[in-house]
Amino acid sequence: MNLRKSFFAAVAVAASAFSVSALAQETYTLSLAQTWGPNSPILGETTEHFAKMAEEMSDGRLQVRIDASNKHKAPFGIFDLVRTGQYDMGHTASYYYKGTIPNAMYFTTIPFGLIAPEMYAWFYHGGGMELMQKVYEPHGLLSFPGGNTGNQMGGWFRKEINSVEDLQGLKMRTPGFAGEVMSELGVAVTNLPPGELYTALERGTIDALEWVGPALDFPMGFHQIAKYYYSGWQEPGAEVQFLINKKTWDKLPADLQEVLRVAMRTAAYDMYIQSVHESGVAWNKMKENYPDVTHKVFPPEVIDALRQTTDRLLQEAAEEDPLAKEIITSQRDYLKQVRPWINISDKAYLNSVAGE
């Protein structure tokens, strides 16, 4: 009996070793569609960094094939491409899909809301990840933070904005919740893909546009057309996202799922710090080589109107949708919790050295 037990034990050990060995040799290739075009700085580099990390950490078992928007032809269709299984993954911005899933837009940014460090803290320690899954899981998707641009600029304008009346009839590209706010104040809002922005501004199809900040705006050449560059209010910490088809995720071994988690989180962090660095470099170049570019802040009258409209629209959204209310309340409560610390740390420091 002891010999028989020993025999079956040995078989079990051998089978287990074979299974582990076979698993170690199995490779997975995932397809990723991104909103960004080929060779897109920072945004496109983020997916490249992610794919490289995933391959290296998995010892080659996990590879990611990236298709830019010129390949799949649907820069604002990433949600559907991943949901239907045409692609395993996507890299995009959640607020692009507010027409399909309105609650998605809160996971990119909310005007006058959380700045980038606060946003990450909310995602990972304040319940943000769980709320994001409530929105995406019914569509067979998982969503993960995919990189932050930091505080975005308010946009490029051909004409100076001195009053709320100056906004009325203005044709402007600005997406997400900010687009709804601007629309309420009389702006003719449109959302164009990145590759069409320069031409639209140059030809007068739009009078103003909001893209990101110096790091991504300077290479686009907007400063050659519109000289008024306004600080922002609308995207205090704009987070892009990784989308993953749930069926694809479930087919992966647990260790490769963890590889993806770590690669996505690291790539997101890398994008944030790269954005800070590149914006500093680009802004210095812009000031030196294009002295006609004028930095402006919106006058108090305009900021007050934008804030009041934002608060009203958020309240209406919360009243209409219980999940929207849960997300909005969560972000507001977290802001009340974390902002006092930011005020006596980062804000107080910057104010105290304002002359330096």
Side-chain angles (χ1 to χ4, degrees):
M1 181 67 71
N2 289 338
L3 288 175
R4 187 169 181 269
K5 285 183 178 180
S6 298
F7 171 79
F8 282 114
V11 169
V13 170
S16 176
F18 175 82
S19 175
V20 171
S21 176
L23 181 63
Q25 299 305 314
E26 189 171 1
T27 61
Y28 297 82
T29 300
L30 307 184
S31 57
L32 183 150
Q34 63 183 19
T35 289
W36 338 114
N39 304 314
S40 177
I42 301 181
L43 292 163
E45 291 175 78
T46 298
T47 52
E48 293 173 2
H49 294 161
F50 156 73
K52 183 179 180 181
M53 282 188 288
E55 182 175 1
E56 290 179 351
M57 287 191 293
S58 67
D59 197 23
R61 291 171 55 211
L62 184 59
Q63 300 182 15
V64 181
R65 190 197 78 237
I66 302 167
D67 282 352
S69 58
N70 65 318
K71 180 72 177 292
H72 56 71
K73 308 295 185 184
F76 293 148
I78 307 302
F79 172 83
D80 283 326
L81 290 176
V82 180
R83 179 183 61 84
T84 58
Q86 297 177 64
Y87 282 84
D88 298 304
M89 299 187 65
H91 194 244
T92 185
S94 195
Y95 63 7
Y96 291 149
Y97 311 104
K98 67 184 182 69
T100 304
I101 43 173
N103 289 332
M105 62 183 168
Y106 306 115
F107 301 106
T108 302
T109 188
I110 290 181
F112 304 103
L114 300 164
I115 61 174
E118 296 169 336
M119 191 76 167
Y120 279 126
W122 175 70
F123 270 126
Y124 289 109
H125 299 282
M129 290 291 289
E130 291 80 4
L131 287 169
M132 187 159 59
Q133 288 315 125
K134 276 191 176 184
V135 172
Y136 280 98
E137 196 160 356
H139 302 278
L141 296 169
L142 299 175
S143 179
F144 297 85
N148 203 295
T149 63
N151 204 324
Q152 292 200 4
M153 293 295 284
W156 294 91
F157 293 76
R158 288 178 175 273
K159 297 180 180 180
E160 192 172 356
I161 303 299
N162 295 309
S163 67
V164 175
E165 286 71 28
D166 290 339
L167 296 175
Q168 295 173 7
L170 189 80
K171 296 175 291 185
M172 183 175 182
R173 182 271 182 193
T174 184
F177 200 89
E180 296 185 18
V181 174
M182 281 290 206
S183 181
E184 290 286 312
L185 295 179
V187 176
V189 172
T190 186
N191 187 21
L192 300 171
E196 299 177 18
L197 296 179
Y198 181 89
T199 301
L201 187 64
E202 182 183 41
R203 294 179 179 176
T205 306
I206 54 177
D207 305 308
L209 65 83
E210 173 269 317
W211 177 219
V212 179
L216 294 179
D217 292 5
F218 186 54
M220 299 283 270
F222 304 136
H223 55 280
Q224 299 172 12
I225 306 169
K227 74 173 186 176
Y228 295 107
Y229 197 27
Y230 279 82
S231 285
W233 58 277
Q234 78 292 354
E235 298 190 33
E239 187 72 26
V240 294
Q241 68 177 156
F242 285 106
L243 283 175
I244 303 180
N245 184 285
K246 184 67 162 52
K247 292 181 180 178
T248 296
W249 177 266
D250 290 340
K251 291 177 183 177
L252 294 173
D255 67 319
L256 294 188
Q257 291 177 349
E258 190 62 23
V259 164
L260 283 179
R261 284 194 190 94
V262 173
M264 288 186 291
R265 191 162 177 172
T266 306
Y269 171 76
D270 285 348
M271 177 178 155
Y272 176 44
I273 58 174
Q274 185 183 6
S275 295
V276 173
H277 168 73
E278 295 293 351
S279 282
V281 171
W283 179 238
N284 287 330
K285 286 182 179 178
M286 208 180 302
K287 288 192 298 180
E288 180 179 348
N289 298 315
Y290 297 90
D292 288 342
V293 171
T294 303
H295 168 250
K296 304 287 290 184
V297 294
F298 292 109
E301 172 195 342
V302 173
I303 290 294
D304 288 344
L306 292 168
R307 186 186 293 275
Q308 291 173 17
T309 305
T310 295
D311 290 344
R312 176 172 59 81
L313 291 180
L314 286 173
Q315 183 62 34
E316 291 174 0
E319 291 172 355
E320 293 172 2
D321 185 334
L323 184 52
K325 181 178 181 179
E326 189 177 0
I327 298 166
I328 293 167
T329 301
S330 176
Q331 287 198 351
R332 281 178 168 171
D333 288 348
Y334 197 79
L335 184 61
K336 291 178 183 177
Q337 172 187 320
V338 74
R339 185 58 59 85
W341 158 242
I342 299 299
N343 286 339
I344 69 164
S345 58
D346 293 9
K347 183 178 179 181
Y349 165 74
L350 293 172
N351 288 342
S352 69
V353 298
E356 296 184 6

